[in-house]
Amino acid sequence: MLREFKEFIARGNVIDLAVAVVIGAAFGRIVTSLVEGIIMPPIGLLLGHADFSNLFIDLSGQRPASLAEAQLKGLPVIAYGTFLNDVVSFLIIAFVIFLIIKAINRMRAAPPPPPNTKDCPYCLTAIPLGATRCAACCADIPAR
């Protein structure tokens, strides 16, 4: 059983998954830091310091002044403001990740173009793919 466990752990896809989880967690902290520390402050400034976290619907009828007061008193409330904050944060983080991945993909080398020539099977001269006769040796080239 120990041997089977060692074989399982030594598989490439298990190790790849472990590396992906660790790198993903680190990348997640970087993106969260970028969004919270650099991107959100200007957006908050543009939106007039909008913070939805104190928005709630009072179900008790006692009309508390704030969400903190309602929670302190144990009143039933629907705290939808925190959900809105989380949705806005998620959308911003998803957009930032999209921009990062788009930039990384742009830096990658483009795949080489497909070949537009083939070699003549008789004299090995490069001829266009659609050619049916070699210009160098005048041999008929079978169509592929």
Side-chain angles (χ1 to χ4, degrees):
M1 188 154 102
L2 183 61
R3 183 174 47 93
E4 289 176 337
F5 180 70
K6 284 171 61 177
E7 288 174 6
F8 172 74
I9 293 298
R11 282 188 190 160
N13 46 350
V14 172
I15 293 171
D16 291 345
L17 179 62
V19 169
V21 167
V22 170
I23 298 241
F27 185 68
R29 286 195 299 260
I30 290 171
V31 170
T32 301
S33 174
L34 173 70
V35 169
E36 290 177 358
I38 296 173
I39 295 174
M40 284 303 282
I43 290 175
L45 189 64
L46 288 174
L47 296 177
H49 303 287
D51 181 21
F52 303 118
S53 62
N54 201 32
L55 297 177
F56 65 97
I57 297 173
D58 176 32
L59 300 175
S60 68
Q62 295 185 17
R63 300 185 189 244
S66 68
L67 178 61
E69 179 185 335
Q71 290 173 338
L72 185 65
K73 291 180 179 179
L75 301 176
V77 294
I78 297 175
Y80 66 92
T82 305
F83 175 74
L84 287 177
N85 269 348
D86 290 343
V87 168
V88 169
S89 293
F90 169 78
L91 291 174
I92 292 170
I93 288 172
F95 184 69
V96 168
I97 289 174
F98 167 75
L99 293 177
I100 290 171
I101 298 299
K102 187 173 179 178
I104 289 171
N105 287 340
R106 204 175 304 135
M107 288 189 289
R108 289 187 181 160
N116 58 358
T117 61
K118 61 182 176 183
D119 290 337
C120 172
Y122 303 105
C123 67
L124 300 178
T125 303
I127 57 174
L129 285 176
T132 57
R133 175 166 266 179
C134 177
C137 70
C138 296
D140 287 330
I141 310 295
R144 288 189 185 181

